[in-house]
């Protein structure tokens, strides 16, 4: 594969380019999990992979519990569809507790403390109650546990990893920002019934099919670093996937490494993704993958987008190696020009909730890109405004 073909295949598989998903839920099912530290930008990561989902659509899916936000995989915040969270959590749990072990010991979270705090937290959210972090902190403090700092954060994370807590319906602060709440895992995921979990072998195969089917071409190390699994487990998952769905994932050697990807003729059903009547399943490769407006393609992606964070050793194909860290007043989110790193961006919401509400986009290209690409930036700005449902404009740099 040539580098440009790697980019085109990844952009299409991740649905950043056409064909896109019909809904944010379908986009999430295709990707399995989407990194979601910054909720406002994580909403966009899902919506920009659809034919027109809005911020409100994604927020409603989170409020309803169809899309859940929790600590999983490396671990960090991720969006996961409620259908996938039971088996993905069970697969991740042992390794997540192992990774967190040092912090557990430093903060006094031994087996007994974890069990007692889990009982407190489970009782706090029982019966459909959704509580903020501060409200959970008060309950824990009342039971003799730390109510702030790292110990609080890891008590709550332990409960998430263990299947006690998961995200509830967000609440809006006085300033208009959505704030995370927590709810009972089984109530939120399976309506109160015990959540169905795949066997470990089935889970490894499912993860390999979904990861390489959406992010390929990617390496075993890419998948291991993304999932938090060992490379041995990833290889086992690939072997099991071949037994379950022969030919759904194929190998290709180039640039001195072995890559895995979904072949163009492989449909979504082979990856275990359900196709619902009247709605398109997560799409296979093939057909048009270029925008219809005839301009170069500009994509405004968050720095934690799966197009970037879905890879480790082969991340360099997009022209960078890692998300930028803020330096001075420079934005840290990523502008892509035909799939390649070309600048940075951020948004600012002005007078939220007032009659003059608007969004301002600070977009800084790292090099001159020409008139056609600047027109494509205007298209991207308009699309972001449609997503937010408010007037959106690009502001001159330095204002």
């Amino acid at each position: 594969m040539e580098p440009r073909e790697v980019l085109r295949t990844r952009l299409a598989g991740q649905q950043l380019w056409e064909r896109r998903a019909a809904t944010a839920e379908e986009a999430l099912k295709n990707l399995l999990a989407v990194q979601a530290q910054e909720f406002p930008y994580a909403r966009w990561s899902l919506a920009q992979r659809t034919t027109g989902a809005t911020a409100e659509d994604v927020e409603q899916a989170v409020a309803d519990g169809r899309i859940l936000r929790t600590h999983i995989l490396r671990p960090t915040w991720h969006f996961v569809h409620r259908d996938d969270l039971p088996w993905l959590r069970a697969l991740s749990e042992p390794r997540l507790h192992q990774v967190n072990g040092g912090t557990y010991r430093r903060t006094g979270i031994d087996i007994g403390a974890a069990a007692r705090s889990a009982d407190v937290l489970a009782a706090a959210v029982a019966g459909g109650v959704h509580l903020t972090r501060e409200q959970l902190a008060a309950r824990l403090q009342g039971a003799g546990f730390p109510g702030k700092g790292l110990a609080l954060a890891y008590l709550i994370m332990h409960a998430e990893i263990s299947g006690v807590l998961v995200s509830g319906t967000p609440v809006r602060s006085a300033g208009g920002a959505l704030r995370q709440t927590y709810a009972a895992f089984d109530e939120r995921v399976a309506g109160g019934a015990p959540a169905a979990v795949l066997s470990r072998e089935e889970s490894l195969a499912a993860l390999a099919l979904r990861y390489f089917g959406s992010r390929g071409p990617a390496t075993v190390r890419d998948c291991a670093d993304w999932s938090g699994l060992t490379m041995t487990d990833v290889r086992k998952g690939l072997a099991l996937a071949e037994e379950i769905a022969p030919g759904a994932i194929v190998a290709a050697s180039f640039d001195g490494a072995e890559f895995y990807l979904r072949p163009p003729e492989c449909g979504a059903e082979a990856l275990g993704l359900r196709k619902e009547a009247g709605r398109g399943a997560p799409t296979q490769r093939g057909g048009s993958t270029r925008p219809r407006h005839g301009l170069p393609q500009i994509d405004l992606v968050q720095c934690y987008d799966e197009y970037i964070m879905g890879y480790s050793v082969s991340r360099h194909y997009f022209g960078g190696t890692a998300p930028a860290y803020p330096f001075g007043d420079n934005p840290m989110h990523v502008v892509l020009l035909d799939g390649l790193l070309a600048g940075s961006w951020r948004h600012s919401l002005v007078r939220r909730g007032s009659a003059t509400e608007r969004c301002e986009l600070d977009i800084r290209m790292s090099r001159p890109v020409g008139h056609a690409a600047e027109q494509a930036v205007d298209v991207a700005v308009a699309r972001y405004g449609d997503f937010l449902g408010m007037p959106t404009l690009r502001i001159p740099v330095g204002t």
Side-chain angles (χ1 to χ4, degrees), residues 34-48 55 58-59 62 67 69-71 74 76-79 170 177-180 300-306 308-309 323-326 330-334 345-349 384 387-388:
V34 169
Q35 198 161 329
Q37 276 101 319
E38 297 189 50
F39 185 85
Y41 291 101
R43 298 172 309 172
W44 171 236
S45 278
L46 291 179
Q48 72 184 136
V58 179
E59 290 168 10
V62 173
I67 292 174
R69 182 174 180 258
T70 192
H71 283 92
R74 290 181 291 281
T76 190
W77 287 110
H78 280 82
F79 283 144
L178 284 175
R179 299 178 62 207
Q180 171 96 13
L300 306 177
V301 300
Q302 65 149 331
C303 65
Y304 301 116
D305 190 88
E306 293 302 313
I308 300 167
M309 300 305 294
Y325 289 95
N330 292 320
M332 64 182 292
H333 299 291
V334 175
W345 72 284
R346 65 181 164 209
H347 76 209
S348 298
L349 300 179
Y384 198 74
F387 158 73
L388 290 176

Side-chain angles (χ1 to χ4, degrees), residues 12-13 15 17-21 30 262 266 268 280-285:
Q15 298 183 301
W17 284 9
E18 299 173 354
R19 308 167 185 167
R20 294 190 174 107
N30 178 54
R262 176 174 42 162
C266 179
T283 54
Q284 71 264 31
R285 298 187 181 95

Side-chain angles (χ1 to χ4, degrees), residues 289-362:
T289 58
R290 291 305 309 270
R292 296 192 182 109
H293 49 62
L295 298 170
Q297 177 71 13
I298 289 288
D299 292 293
L300 306 177
V301 300
Q302 65 149 331
C303 65
Y304 301 116
D305 190 88
E306 293 302 313
Y307 184 70
I308 300 167
M309 300 305 294
Y311 312 92
S312 55
V313 295
S314 70
R315 187 183 292 170
H316 61 277
Y317 281 97
F318 89 104
T321 57
Y325 289 95
F327 180 77
D329 69 341
N330 292 320
M332 64 182 292
H333 299 291
V334 175
V335 180
L336 299 175
L337 172 57
D338 287 339
L340 288 168
L341 178 65
S344 58
W345 72 284
R346 65 181 164 209
H347 76 209
S348 298
L349 300 179
V350 179
R351 295 187 180 181
R352 188 172 179 84
S354 74
T356 57
E357 182 178 275
R358 69 184 185 276
C359 175
E360 295 180 345
L361 292 180
D362 180 354

Side-chain angles (χ1 to χ4, degrees), residues 43 69 88 212 247 252 264 364:
R43 298 172 309 172
R69 182 174 180 258
L88 189 58
F212 291 106
R364 307 188 190 186

Side-chain angles (χ1 to χ4, degrees), residues 1-325:
M1 271 190 170
E2 296 296 325
R4 299 296 296 182
E5 189 178 357
V6 172
L7 292 182
R8 286 193 298 269
T9 305
R10 288 179 175 180
L11 288 160
Q14 289 208 27
Q15 298 183 301
L16 277 168
W17 284 9
E18 299 173 354
R19 308 167 185 167
R20 294 190 174 107
T23 66
E25 290 173 73
E26 288 182 8
L28 180 56
K29 291 284 278 186
N30 178 54
L31 290 167
L32 180 58
V34 169
Q35 198 161 329
Q37 276 101 319
E38 297 189 50
F39 185 85
Y41 291 101
R43 298 172 309 172
W44 171 236
S45 278
L46 291 179
Q48 72 184 136
R49 290 168 161 86
T50 73
T51 54
T54 65
E56 185 177 350
D57 293 332
V58 179
E59 290 168 10
Q60 190 60 55
V62 173
D64 293 343
R66 290 171 280 142
I67 292 174
L68 296 166
R69 182 174 180 258
T70 192
H71 283 92
I72 202 165
L73 299 177
R74 290 181 291 281
T76 190
W77 287 110
H78 280 82
F79 283 144
V80 182
H81 194 279
R82 66 180 172 196
D83 293 347
D84 293 314
L85 185 55
W87 67 264
L88 189 58
R89 187 207 63 80
L91 179 64
S92 299
E93 179 180 5
R95 193 154 178 87
L96 292 181
H97 284 318
Q98 181 183 24
V99 169
N100 285 348
T103 305
Y104 291 160
R105 289 188 290 273
R106 287 197 302 274
T107 53
I109 305 174
D110 57 18
I111 293 174
R116 293 193 303 275
S117 67
D119 288 341
V120 172
L121 293 169
V125 297
V129 176
H130 296 192
L131 298 178
T132 65
R133 176 189 172 102
E134 291 76 17
Q135 291 169 321
L136 290 181
R139 300 295 183 93
L140 285 170
Q141 197 165 24
F145 291 96
K148 61 182 180 180
L150 198 61
L152 171 65
Y154 274 77
L155 285 171
I156 293 176
M157 190 191 301
H158 194 291
E160 291 177 88
I161 294 169
S162 302
V164 176
L165 297 178
V166 76
S167 62
T169 300
V171 294
R172 201 170 288 282
S173 68
L178 284 175
R179 299 178 62 207
Q180 171 96 13
T181 67
Y182 296 85
F185 184 95
D186 285 341
E187 291 180 8
R188 196 76 162 143
V189 171
V197 177
L198 304 177
S199 70
R200 190 170 192 276
E201 289 71 21
E202 290 171 326
S203 297
L204 287 173
L207 186 142
L209 286 166
R210 301 278 281 283
Y211 173 85
F212 291 106
S214 61
R215 293 169 179 80
T219 68
V220 167
R221 173 56 66 85
D222 286 327
C223 183
D225 290 344
W226 175 83
S227 65
L229 297 173
T230 65
M231 292 175 67
T232 298
D233 277 339
V234 174
R235 291 191 183 98
K236 184 176 182 179
L238 281 165
L240 292 166
E242 178 61 19
E243 294 178 11
I244 294 170
I249 302 297
V250 298
S253 296
F254 56 91
D255 283 352
E258 183 105 323
F259 290 78
Y260 296 87
L261 68 156
R262 176 174 42 162
E265 66 275 9
C266 179
E269 289 81 357
L271 303 180
L273 297 170
R274 180 180 59 195
K275 185 174 183 179
E276 300 179 6
R279 300 170 71 182
T283 54
Q284 71 264 31
R285 298 187 181 95
S288 171
T289 58
R290 291 305 309 270
R292 296 192 182 109
H293 49 62
L295 298 170
Q297 177 71 13
I298 289 288
D299 292 293
L300 306 177
V301 300
Q302 65 149 331
C303 65
Y304 301 116
D305 190 88
E306 293 302 313
Y307 184 70
I308 300 167
M309 300 305 294
Y311 312 92
S312 55
V313 295
S314 70
R315 187 183 292 170
H316 61 277
Y317 281 97
F318 89 104
T321 57
Y325 289 95

